[in-house]
Amino acid sequence: MKFTPQVLLSTPRRSAGVPSPDGKFVLYTVSTYDFDKHSKTTETKLLDTDVNFVDTLPDGEKASDFVWLSNHEFAFLRGEDEGATSLMICSRPEGTGELSTSYVVEQIEAPMANLKIAALGDDEFGIVFSAQSTKEGKLFNPEKAPKTHSSGRLYSTLFVRHWDEWATPEKQSLWHAKLSAPEDGKRSLSHLQNVLCGSDLECPIRPFGGTDNFDVSKWGLIFVAKDPELNPALHTKSNVYYLPIEWDGKVSCVGPGRVRIEGFEGASTSPVFSPSGKKAAFLSMKKDGYEADRNVIFVMPELHKVKPHAEMLTLESTKMAVWDRSPSSISWAADGQSLLVVAEEEGHAHLFEIHHNKQHRISTPGVVSDVKTLSSGRIFVSGSTLVDNSYYAVIDLAAAVQSDSAPAIWSHSNTDSGVKLGLNSGQISSIWSPASDLRVNKEVHSWVFKPSDYDSSKTYPVAYLIHGGPQGAWNDAWSTRWNQAVFAEQGFIVIAPNVTGSTGYGQAFTDAINQNWGGDPYQDIVNVFDYVGKHIPQADNSRAVALGASYGGFMMNWIQGQPLGRKFKAMVCHDGIFSTANLLSTEELYFPFNDLGGYPWSTKETDAVHPFTTASAWHKWDPSAHLSEWATPMLVIHNSKDYRLPISEGLAAFNVLQAKGIESQFLTFPDENHFVLEPENSLVWHKTVINWIRKHVGMERFAGEEAGGVEYMGGLKVEETKETKET
């Protein structure tokens, strides 16, 4: 099989697995897009790990949020017409692999998500889920909301829009109820209550918060929410809150208690109860306004002794596992004595076991995306690699702690470790080139991805991929947006460098990009380019292209005005920053205020809030200050619903290229945000990008862009004149 963009986008996508407590069965969804029918199908699967037999859940197309109540019974949510949601129960008779018919416990007249359940005893359960609420705290269904006669909206404070939505009065809220023991074979649900009623808090935190923003136990609820006293456009600070719940009574609107952590003013996330519910752990950052500060683990004991309806809590939290990695998620081991932590490390996201402030790395491939604890003490892991879009594994935790190389007891791959896609791990290797600032890290790590039919006696054009963030990284993980294999299978050697600012190489390396956007990261890329030219003879740097999105798009615009720009045959800038001054139009203003060291209107060298040079970084790293040097052909992509970096950035870059007579194209999707998510749009994106870079390295076209559904708008070519050149 030739791994093409259409194969990438039509390969079945599997969710993280949800194992039964004993690990015998695994629930998951599979979504598949059919480009012939132009439609997507979603199925719910039940995998028997003993025999690797997969069954399909009837009517599971709109099912989500699976939670096991026992080894034989599970609950889930099912989307209904007109925005309603049903809480469903399904069981599997003991001793069989067949599923019984599911039944509706209750239909709720609003969209629900993020279901979590805690055992209360006597076969009863407490459930919590998220749903939007009105200003009065009632369930909100956008499909049934009254229509207004005007589309006007008046704002008097920041955060008028976020990611791809304009702000509205509705909030995300957590709702809870008790799920009864079965009567006549069916369970029932008590009256739903809005846990955040009257609190002015919102959870999950939009746009990406989910079940990682809260947890539930028989004793109560723990969650994170933005600090209501701070404007979210200027601050990242979010707090941890705890609310005891009496499941047989009502939760008053006094509100949850805030957990205070002295010296930590940044974002908190991943609150999770121990198996007994008497302890909880969470992650928190020190610095407000900085999304990539190091996460520190905290543990709160004796939560079951906290009195109900406490107005404010001041709990002593114990800092654990201080090491130079930043965990992204945490969970508890089955014994409640140790923590399971996922953290980035040198191009991977590994699983660590932490006990008594000591951490032990557990051998897992690629990037771990989800961890579940089994009743036996073993752990169930979901993850992916650069060649495998989904794997599941069961690991003996005790054996893994004793040995770095303890193999998985059981594993299951969605693509047979890439074989079904014509990919293999032998296509991937790493290089380490000199870092720009040797005081921080000595070397910079880059992934190298070669074509599956690679021939060491031949030379290949090179595609340099620059990641976004800027505090991010290229990891050994699957992606449908910037998949290295897609470019490699088009005949390129792909180089994906993790330059200064990348995560997983120590916090100092991540922090070093602050006020340094076009400095060390740019020189790192230059060093990588030179290293590849000297040490990989099959990589033809005379036929090199560069591609990047978000901060990577900024770097495309920056490189255009620098000497390295003349060494590329073509470039691709997706949702990039054209001018740092225009970052004032972003929704999350704390981002440029932190990364560029202050405010662009500042007239002082330093200020009390940002003790660095303030306005200078805004001007120093502005790509639009070097337009006279722009000369390399460039494809510009920018989407209309990108509110993080508005479309004017892409239009400005394209306008300059056209006015200067530089070969260029502009691709836009009116219905997409910072990403391109719809399969048909993504196929157009891939065809357009691939044709652009193939053309400029002397290769034949991959596919007609028009065939992918893009509407080509021709126009007059602007010839470069003396006036435009000087401009």
Side-chain angles (χ1 to χ4, degrees), residues 67 114-118 126-129 211-212 214-216 271-272:
V67 182
N114 302 311
L115 179 67
K116 280 198 169 183
I117 296 180
I127 77 164
V128 174
F129 61 86
T211 53
D212 61 330
F214 70 95
D215 201 14
V216 61
V272 58

Side-chain angles (χ1 to χ4, degrees), residues 544-694:
V545 295
L547 308 87
S550 196
Y551 171 79
F554 160 87
M555 187 53 73
M556 296 302 103
N557 290 334
W558 181 256
I559 288 173
Q560 271 281 17
Q562 308 301 317
L564 182 61
R566 309 294 74 79
K567 296 183 179 181
F568 291 118
K569 292 295 185 182
M571 303 170 74
V572 177
C573 174
H574 176 108
D575 289 357
I577 299 166
F578 171 76
S579 171
T580 50
N582 288 341
L583 282 171
L584 292 174
S585 62
T586 190
E587 7 86 286
E588 296 176 341
L589 282 168
Y590 58 76
F591 169 62
F593 289 170
N594 177 82
D595 270 45
L596 297 178
Y599 315 110
W601 56 81
S602 175
T603 58
K604 300 179 180 179
E605 274 299 293
T606 62
D607 64 28
V609 178
H610 299 89
F612 306 100
T613 54
T614 52
S616 61
W618 287 79
H619 306 306
K620 186 175 183 179
W621 309 125
D622 189 344
S624 67
H626 304 276
L627 298 180
S628 61
E629 303 301 319
W630 285 34
T632 302
M634 187 155 77
L635 166 64
V636 179
I637 307 169
H638 221 111
N639 300 324
S640 296
K641 294 183 71 176
D642 185 355
Y643 301 156
R644 191 173 184 85
L645 296 172
I647 192 172
S648 57
E649 296 293 277
L651 287 169
F654 179 65
N655 289 350
V656 167
L657 292 162
Q658 286 285 300
K660 293 194 69 176
I662 301 169
E663 186 181 0
S664 51
Q665 290 183 338
F666 182 74
L667 175 64
T668 184
F669 299 96
D671 54 341
E672 298 282 8
N673 55 35
H674 202 54
F675 305 142
V676 178
L677 302 176
E678 292 298 323
E680 300 281 359
N681 289 345
S682 185
L683 184 59
V684 169
W685 185 97
H686 279 89
K687 287 182 176 180
T688 305
V689 169
I690 289 171
N691 280 329
W692 179 258
I693 61 176
R694 284 176 66 98

Side-chain angles (χ1 to χ4, degrees), residues 84-241:
T85 310
S86 291
L87 175 64
M88 310 290 297
I89 295 290
C90 186
S91 61
R92 181 190 60 79
E94 190 170 358
T96 73
E98 299 179 357
L99 293 168
S100 65
T101 303
S102 56
Y103 65 89
V104 178
V105 176
E106 186 161 331
Q107 181 169 306
I108 296 157
E109 296 303 315
M112 299 165 50
N114 302 311
L115 179 67
K116 280 198 169 183
I117 296 180
L120 304 179
D122 298 326
D123 203 17
E124 293 184 327
F125 297 86
I127 77 164
V128 174
F129 61 86
S130 67
Q132 282 189 293
S133 63
T134 65
K135 290 187 291 185
E136 296 75 26
K138 298 180 180 180
L139 280 169
F140 176 73
N141 186 339
E143 293 194 25
K144 296 184 177 181
K147 305 300 181 184
T148 60
H149 296 289
S150 170
S151 61
R153 292 172 178 171
L154 181 64
Y155 297 91
S156 59
T157 185
L158 286 172
F159 232 39
V160 300
R161 61 184 189 178
H162 191 205
W163 195 250
D164 58 7
E165 293 182 342
W166 287 85
T168 62
E170 293 74 39
K171 290 186 176 183
Q172 289 286 344
S173 291
L174 298 176
W175 301 75
H176 94 287
K178 186 171 73 171
L179 187 65
S180 70
E183 291 187 10
D184 298 327
K186 292 188 177 182
R187 297 179 181 272
S188 60
L189 198 67
S190 68
H191 176 69
L192 288 174
Q193 299 174 65
N194 184 346
V195 176
L196 304 185
C197 169
S199 67
D200 201 29
L201 299 174
E202 183 172 25
C203 183
I205 299 172
R206 290 186 282 187
F208 302 119
T211 53
D212 61 330
N213 280 190
F214 70 95
D215 201 14
V216 61
S217 77
K218 65 182 294 183
W219 309 104
L221 178 73
I222 187 171
F223 64 95
V224 295
K226 287 282 189 177
D227 191 310
E229 297 180 1
L230 301 175
N231 191 293
L234 299 174
H235 301 272
T236 58
K237 181 174 174 54
S238 57
N239 302 321
V240 180
Y241 298 88

Side-chain angles (χ1 to χ4, degrees), residues 487-567:
F487 298 102
E489 292 304 276
Q490 290 298 314
F492 289 84
I493 291 179
V494 176
I495 307 295
N498 284 329
V499 299
T500 297
S502 298
T503 51
Y505 300 85
Q507 192 62 38
F509 192 66
T510 301
D511 295 344
I513 200 172
N514 187 268
Q515 302 178 71
N516 191 19
W517 278 16
D520 290 330
Y522 168 76
Q523 188 57 49
D524 287 339
I525 297 169
V526 172
N527 293 350
V528 171
F529 187 92
D530 292 343
Y531 182 94
V532 169
K534 293 177 182 178
H535 298 280
I536 306 180
Q538 296 82 8
D540 184 359
N541 263 352
S542 68
R543 292 190 297 151
V545 295
L547 308 87
S550 196
Y551 171 79
F554 160 87
M555 187 53 73
M556 296 302 103
N557 290 334
W558 181 256
I559 288 173
Q560 271 281 17
Q562 308 301 317
L564 182 61
R566 309 294 74 79
K567 296 183 179 181

